[in-house]
Amino acid sequence: MDITAFIVARRDKALLVGDYGLYRKQLSRRLLVVRKKLNQSTKGRKYTPKAPITVEDIASNHGFQKANTYASHLVNLLQETDKTGASTQSVLEARAYQQSIQGAIAFEKRQWEQCLQSYAETRLLYTALAQSADAKRDDLYKDLLSNTIDPSIRYAAYRLKLPRTLSTEAIVARYAPRENSTFIAEALRSNPHLLQQSGTAGRKNVTGDPADVPRTITWRSRTVKLEDATTAQALASVAAAETKLRSFLAANENSDRKARAAAYDDILLPSQDAVDATKTAIDELTAEGVPQGDPRMQSLQITKTAVNYNLVEWRVGRNRVLCGEQDGAIFESESVKKPKKPGADGKPREEQEESNGRKLARLRERVVLYDSTIQSLDSVKEFPGVAADQAFVNELEAKKTYFSSLSCLAIARSHMLHGNKRNALALLSRAINLSSKSISISSSEDSAAQDVPKLEIRPAQVRSLQDLLERSVLQHRALVELENLSSTKSQNSNYKPPPMIERLDEYPPGGVDLTNLVTYPPKLQPVPVKPIFLDVAWNYIDYPGRPKRGTATAVDGGIKSLSIHPSPSRLLIDVREPSELQSTGRIPNSVSMPITSNPDAVYLSPEDFYDRFGFVKPGSESSPSSGSASSVPSEESGEEDVSESNPKPYTAGHAGADVGAAQGLAGEEEEGDGEKGVKEVVFYCKAGVRSRAAMQMAQGEGGWKGVRVGQWGGGWVEWEKKGGPVERS
């Protein structure tokens, strides 16, 4: 009978629904049924406050005892093995299920001692079943113990104020009812050492017994007591896994590096468990209000640093194994597998040499491993108490420079494969400088080789790396010098290299020529400008969010009226270049202010503005010289004026044309205030781009104050297209 499998499957069924809404409905129905049994439900009042369920309600309700009654009845039936034919395993499973229900009832009633007794017997029985079951059933029992039984035992022990250093196995041995329990006697008959080995059923990777669990931990000549039993058990698992790793590496010295690195996984898992357990213990003490100066908290902080550094050591050791021989300093060539099929001529195929692409991929993998190692070393400085230990910080920096030099070496080899000898030489020089800073690494294992690579770096390894780098630098210097000689012979004797500012990506083998740093005197060079097609694109492409084109003509609006009936208070400015005006002409009664060749036109003084363009600068109080003409006739226009009550005086072009106040004519001048001069300015160009820029400059800081400025987006293209009159000078 698969009693345990059936129970666990029923419990997990709701979690396998996959739909949160449906899962919530199922739970809501079950809660409603429970509240009805407790007379706590209300009809038709969904949000009525409900009284909380108390322990007395649970104790007085017999519905919660049904599961226990059924389980007890099942145990009594299965005990008659001569009639039912049930096996001993089925009887123990039924008893374990019954005790788990009794433990849950005691847990809800907060009867912690009775809860420990029931859960202790449950754990013993499931442990005995796990040791005698196959792998599939063992996983089932292990999940049940780790997810339900063990957390309940730890919490009940916490409520009884048992010591934290007391392991789960010790708690079970203390509270398991040995007298008058035929089921425990049956379990002990199959395994007499069950009470001493119960901790190994849930974790098969632990090969030691409780006597091997450490009681103290040492960090930098300071030894503290382990305050958390879970951390101690995880450290025992680490010690056992380390023993297995040593034996594996010793027996497989010539095996593939990936297979040797995979062996580190069995030790990384318990190391991470130790880190998590220590963090959980610190969080629990913090939640209880224990101050940082408490001896328990101090011991846990030291334990945290020790277990985290131990985890970093194993990670770095795994990376070093993956890098290859001598931490990747020696780049050996891997042989390509020989093809099985013969060639077209019937002869066996020869082994191919490893391609440069494959070599570059391997070098990239090594650089990633080196970077990961450097990041791990940087994380060590954040552990408690590390920053105050200056000697240890200096040692970490020396190890960091060692791996940084290896990273530079790998990158230099990749440049060499690409043929960039100068870049490779520069990186090798950088690598040898970094390796010289790692001389301060000291280790007591200088004479003996490490059987398990971790974070220790022997001075012999640093010296070997330096010798390799020195030889590589000499070799690449010779290669660069030969390349320079060959390039010099092929070039003209009068050849002068470009200035140093243009060759910063090249390594200067003969040193920097201080007389050829920059080009002097500076040469006049063309500056990239905006292509003309952007002007056309702005007017002939419908962009998202831009108003659609209308059907109004370019000669029916205010622009034509302004060209026919000019006004001294309104000014139409053409910002195109003089060459464009000569070829196309301009709108009548407009003035010219080329904005591309005169980008400072808006910011000129009134005198300079008049001397350069021949009309009064808008916004200035008076003309720089009497009798100066603004190119705008003084006759008044019969059209309606542009004011804040009529914000759109120019409707030329299409409905979406950027004209007049539609482009933000700025200014607070009221018409009829008695002042003379230009009050409103409209810019236009070929297609609207330059006029928009001129408008933004005139409206910006330092622009034309007191003048309402706008622009006509249609420009000369639309004016000419609609047949507007042309004025030629």
Side-chain angles (χ1 to χ4, degrees):
M1 298 177 63
D2 295 333
I3 298 176
T4 306
F6 174 78
I7 295 170
V8 173
R10 295 289 295 177
R11 290 177 180 176
D12 295 342
K13 184 178 180 180
L15 298 177
L16 297 177
V17 173
D19 184 8
Y20 175 75
L22 182 59
Y23 176 60
R24 184 174 179 275
K25 289 180 181 179
Q26 292 179 356
L27 294 182
S28 299
R29 294 194 195 100
R30 293 188 180 184
L31 288 176
L32 182 60
V33 171
V34 173
R35 287 190 172 275
K36 285 182 179 179
K37 291 182 179 180
L38 295 173
N39 297 322
Q40 296 289 335
S41 62
T42 55
K43 297 182 179 179
R45 291 177 293 174
K46 183 176 181 181
Y47 299 103
T48 303
K50 303 175 180 63
I53 299 176
T54 62
V55 178
E56 289 75 14
D57 295 333
I58 298 176
S60 61
N61 190 277
H62 298 286
F64 287 92
Q65 303 293 335
K66 285 185 178 181
N68 185 29
T69 303
Y70 291 151
S72 301
H73 186 59
L74 178 63
V75 172
N76 295 332
L77 290 177
L78 292 179
Q79 280 185 307
E80 300 179 5
T81 56
D82 53 345
K83 296 181 180 180
T84 60
S87 62
T88 304
Q89 180 179 357
S90 299
V91 176
L92 294 181
E93 282 190 78
R95 176 65 178 180
Y97 172 57
Q98 178 198 6
Q99 289 299 310
S100 67
I101 295 177
Q102 290 184 355
I105 294 174
F107 191 96
E108 295 293 338
K109 293 181 179 180
R110 295 181 176 85
Q111 298 174 357
W112 305 117
E113 188 168 358
Q114 183 180 354
C115 175
L116 279 181
Q117 292 176 358
S118 298
Y119 275 130
E121 183 176 355
T122 303
R123 195 179 196 280
L124 279 176
L125 295 178
Y126 278 132
T127 303
L129 292 170
Q131 292 180 351
S132 60
D134 54 6
K136 185 176 181 180
R137 288 178 174 271
D138 181 43
D139 292 338
L140 178 65
Y141 296 134
K142 180 176 65 175
D143 293 340
L144 189 60
L145 289 173
S146 60
N147 296 332
T148 305
I149 308 300
D150 287 351
S152 303
I153 293 176
R154 297 302 306 179
Y155 185 76
Y158 164 73
R159 297 305 299 264
L160 288 176
K161 297 182 179 181
L162 296 180
R164 290 180 181 272
T165 55
L166 196 62
S167 63
T168 306
E169 291 76 19
I171 297 173
V172 171
R174 178 184 298 185
Y175 285 92
R178 306 186 189 184
E179 296 81 8
N180 300 326
S181 178
T182 57
F183 303 98
I184 294 181
E186 181 65 29
L188 291 176
R189 188 178 300 110
S190 60
N191 190 351
H193 304 286
L194 182 62
L195 290 176
Q196 289 79 19
Q197 298 178 359
S198 58
T200 63
R203 294 179 300 274
K204 287 189 174 182
N205 56 342
V206 181
T207 58
D209 54 11
D212 296 331
V213 176
R215 302 297 179 185
T216 60
I217 190 171
T218 302
W219 168 252
R220 301 286 294 176
S221 72
R222 183 173 180 180
T223 303
V224 296
K225 180 182 178 182
L226 287 173
E227 298 291 340
D228 186 71
T230 307
T231 305
Q233 294 173 0
L235 291 177
S237 304
V238 172
E242 183 177 358
T243 303
K244 293 174 58 178
L245 178 62
R246 291 179 185 276
S247 60
F248 176 81
L249 294 180
N252 299 272
E253 293 182 356
N254 299 325
S255 61
D256 183 36
R257 53 189 175 88
K258 293 184 179 180
R260 301 177 73 229
Y264 278 79
D265 295 341
D266 293 336
I267 199 171
L268 288 174
L269 293 177
S271 299
Q272 185 65 52
D273 292 341
V275 172
D276 296 340
T278 306
K279 182 180 181 300
T280 303
I282 293 176
D283 293 341
E284 290 177 355
L285 289 182
T286 304
E288 294 174 6
V290 178
Q292 293 293 329
D294 188 90
R296 293 177 298 169
M297 186 66 76
Q298 292 290 325
S299 299
L300 284 174
Q301 293 292 347
I302 296 175
T303 303
K304 178 182 178 181
T305 302
V307 296
N308 276 278
Y309 183 74
N310 188 27
L311 177 61
V312 169
E313 281 189 316
W314 291 117
R315 286 177 177 173
V316 173
R318 183 179 181 273
N319 291 345
R320 296 175 70 180
V321 171
L322 285 173
C323 287
E325 187 179 356
Q326 295 187 12
D327 298 331
I330 299 178
F331 187 66
E332 64 281 356
S333 178
E334 293 184 353
S335 60
V336 182
K337 292 184 178 180
K338 187 177 180 180
K340 296 181 179 179
K341 296 183 179 180
D345 54 356
K347 296 181 180 180
R349 298 180 183 270
E350 298 180 356
E351 293 186 358
Q352 300 178 356
E353 185 180 358
E354 186 180 13
S355 63
N356 287 343
R358 176 58 184 164
K359 292 180 181 179
L360 290 172
R362 290 170 51 206
L363 289 173
R364 282 194 294 267
E365 292 176 358
R366 292 190 180 184
V367 172
V368 172
L369 293 173
Y370 294 141
D371 291 343
S372 175
T373 301
I374 293 172
Q375 292 177 3
S376 299
L377 291 175
D378 288 335
S379 66
V380 174
K381 300 177 184 178
E382 301 176 2
F383 298 160
V386 172
D389 193 346
Q390 189 59 40
F392 183 63
V393 172
N394 294 336
E395 184 179 348
L396 289 177
E397 287 295 332
K399 294 178 180 179
K400 180 180 175 181
T401 55
Y402 172 77
F403 289 105
S404 298
S405 63
L406 287 171
S407 179
C408 289
L409 175 60
I411 299 175
R413 284 170 172 164
S414 65
H415 279 275
M416 192 62 189
L417 290 175
H418 282 294
N420 299 328
K421 301 181 180 62
R422 292 184 177 85
N423 295 346
L425 179 58
L427 288 166
L428 289 173
S429 300
R430 174 64 176 167
I432 199 170
N433 291 334
L434 290 173
S435 64
S436 61
K437 298 179 182 179
S438 59
I439 292 296
S440 58
I441 294 177
S442 61
S443 177
S444 59
E445 301 180 3
D446 189 14
S447 58
Q450 299 178 9
D451 50 354
V452 179
K454 293 174 68 176
L455 192 51
E456 292 80 5
I457 301 174
R458 296 177 287 111
Q461 292 176 313
V462 180
R463 291 193 296 268
S464 176
L465 176 61
Q466 282 190 322
D467 294 340
L468 175 63
L469 290 174
E470 289 175 357
R471 294 194 301 269
S472 299
V473 167
L474 292 176
Q475 178 185 3
H476 284 75
R477 279 179 179 172
L479 293 174
V480 171
E481 188 65 26
L482 291 174
E483 186 178 16
N484 292 337
L485 291 175
S486 60
S487 61
T488 303
K489 291 180 180 180
S490 61
Q491 293 176 355
N492 192 357
S493 58
N494 297 328
Y495 170 75
K496 184 178 180 180
M500 191 62 193
I501 192 66
E502 300 178 7
R503 297 182 291 112
L504 294 179
D505 58 334
E506 298 180 5
Y507 177 77
V512 179
D513 185 8
L514 299 180
T515 62
N516 190 23
L517 295 178
V518 295
T519 302
Y520 186 82
K523 296 181 180 180
L524 184 61
Q525 297 180 349
V527 178
V529 296
K530 173 182 61 60
I532 193 63
F533 72 85
L534 291 180
D535 291 347
V536 181
W538 177 258
N539 288 276
Y540 292 96
I541 297 179
D542 292 332
Y543 297 96
R546 182 181 178 184
K548 299 295 183 181
R549 296 178 181 271
T551 58
T553 61
V555 295
D556 292 336
I559 298 298
K560 182 179 179 182
S561 299
L562 186 59
S563 66
I564 299 175
H565 305 288
S567 172
S569 63
R570 300 176 180 175
L571 191 61
L572 183 62
I573 300 179
D574 192 328
V575 296
R576 295 180 294 164
E577 295 301 309
S579 59
E580 298 179 73
L581 298 181
Q582 292 178 2
S583 61
T584 63
R586 62 184 178 184
I587 299 176
N589 294 319
S590 64
V591 294
S592 176
M593 188 187 76
I595 195 65
T596 302
S597 57
N598 299 276
D600 58 340
V602 175
Y603 312 107
L604 292 174
S605 63
E607 293 78 8
D608 294 339
F609 188 92
Y610 183 80
D611 293 341
R612 187 177 297 184
F613 302 113
F615 62 94
V616 179
K617 178 181 178 180
S620 59
E621 301 235 345
S622 61
S623 173
S625 60
S626 59
S628 62
S630 64
S631 300
V632 179
S634 60
E635 58 182 290
E636 293 291 331
S637 172
E639 292 197 23
E640 56 180 354
D641 195 8
V642 178
S643 63
E644 294 187 6
S645 61
N646 182 25
K648 296 183 180 180
Y650 309 118
T651 59
H654 47 75
D658 301 325
V659 297
Q663 274 299 312
L665 286 172
E668 300 296 335
E669 297 292 338
E670 295 286 345
E671 190 174 19
D673 57 2
E675 296 184 5
K676 297 181 180 180
V678 178
K679 303 299 182 186
E680 299 171 2
V681 173
V682 177
F683 295 104
Y684 79 92
C685 62
K686 182 178 180 180
V689 177
R690 286 173 286 182
S691 60
R692 180 186 292 272
M695 178 192 70
Q696 292 175 351
M697 288 190 290
Q699 292 177 347
E701 188 70 22
W704 296 344
K705 302 296 184 181
V707 179
R708 301 177 66 190
V709 182
Q711 68 113 3
W712 178 37
W716 180 258
V717 173
E718 192 158 344
W719 179 266
E720 188 178 27
K721 181 179 179 181
K722 299 300 182 180
V726 179
E727 177 183 317
R728 298 184 182 271
S729 55

